[in-house]
Amino acid sequence: MSVNPEDPRVKRTRQLFVRAFNDLVEKKRNVYSISVHEITIQATVNRTTFYAHFQDKYDFLEYWMMEKFQMTIRNRLPEETRCNADNLRILIQTIFDFLLRFQQCSTPGDKQFEAMFENTMHQGLHRLLLKRINEVDTQGFSEGKLEAMALVISWGIFGSALQWSRNPQDRSVETMFEEVIEVISVNLSPFWEQITG
């Protein structure tokens, strides 16, 4: 990629594309039919600029989903939020809510992007957990163990929420949510006790 994603101008331009895409999704009610041409016209930015930021529509869609996912989490758990059992509950509830809304808003044509979006969401959750875990006192835990811990927790949360969101009528969200909390709490209690004091 030929741009620096940390450059404020790059961030502003990308936000133009994200806002334009959100407006188009609002109008069209699907993702699959929106073209790069439509995104650039809506954003009033030329195609060359779009391709300086993103390889193609798929690259943009990954970015868009990551932004949407991270913003949802930031709204519920601000950056300075401490890593503890209460905030883990909020995080899990946020993931369940987000995936349910994602499934409810998906159209048949959007199914082609489902695996990509799910992978992007899981990566975002894994990175967030790893970052939060590394922000607390983790003496006695190697870097490899912390990485494995974040991976196991993220897959446990995400996989459970994803499975439930595909058939929410099978079990209530409260039941599923409490079971996930119980499993994670029981299996990770020694870890949580050490890092949350």
Side-chain angles (χ1 to χ4, degrees):
M1 191 155 304
S2 58
V3 296
N4 172 9
E6 297 309 311
D7 184 320
R9 291 168 300 175
V10 169
K11 289 180 178 179
R12 279 194 301 273
T13 302
R14 288 183 170 195
Q15 284 312 303
L16 280 175
F17 289 129
V18 166
R19 279 196 297 275
F21 190 74
N22 286 338
D23 291 345
L24 289 166
V25 169
E26 200 55 40
K27 286 179 201 162
K28 294 193 166 205
R29 297 284 178 210
N30 66 55
V31 168
Y32 74 94
S33 70
I34 299 169
S35 67
V36 169
H37 178 71
E38 289 174 297
I39 297 167
T40 56
I41 287 179
Q42 183 76 22
T44 63
V45 178
N46 66 47
R47 285 171 68 95
T48 305
T49 303
F50 180 91
Y51 287 112
H53 289 259
F54 306 103
Q55 293 173 2
D56 52 27
K57 180 178 168 180
Y58 292 93
D59 190 30
F60 169 75
L61 288 175
E62 279 187 54
Y63 178 82
W64 172 74
M65 178 52 71
M66 186 63 82
E67 286 289 297
K68 192 177 177 75
F69 186 66
Q70 287 177 339
M71 183 175 292
T72 301
I73 291 173
R74 275 194 306 266
N75 286 343
R76 300 277 296 273
L77 286 170
E79 285 290 324
E80 65 279 0
T81 303
R82 222 177 108 75
C83 183
N84 61 34
D86 289 339
N87 290 325
L88 182 63
R89 289 180 72 88
I90 293 169
L91 177 63
I92 293 171
Q93 184 69 57
T94 303
I95 302 301
F96 270 76
D97 293 345
F98 188 89
L99 278 165
L100 181 60
R101 282 198 316 275
F102 172 72
Q103 291 293 338
Q104 290 171 338
C105 295
S106 280
T107 65
D110 293 339
K111 292 289 181 199
Q112 62 186 302
F113 305 115
E114 201 169 76
M116 179 185 71
F117 286 155
E118 289 166 2
N119 184 49
T120 301
M121 287 181 246
H122 176 256
Q123 284 178 7
L125 177 59
H126 175 247
R127 281 200 298 263
L128 171 72
L129 285 169
L130 190 58
K131 179 177 183 283
R132 294 288 171 93
I133 287 170
N134 278 311
E135 287 171 352
V136 295
D137 181 12
T138 53
Q139 287 180 339
F141 290 92
S142 67
E143 192 174 318
K145 192 167 184 178
L146 292 173
E147 172 73 34
M149 186 74 69
L151 197 60
V152 169
I153 298 170
S154 64
W155 271 120
I157 296 169
F158 189 78
S160 302
L162 180 62
Q163 191 66 32
W164 173 80
S165 71
R166 289 177 173 166
N167 292 295
Q169 66 277 12
D170 289 354
R171 299 162 90 181
S172 74
V173 67
E174 293 81 14
T175 302
M176 190 70 188
F177 174 68
E178 289 303 328
E179 287 173 3
V180 171
I181 287 286
E182 185 181 344
V183 169
I184 287 178
S185 298
V186 167
N187 288 290
L188 298 176
S189 58
F191 175 76
W192 287 119
E193 282 164 18
Q194 184 162 341
I195 69 169
T196 60

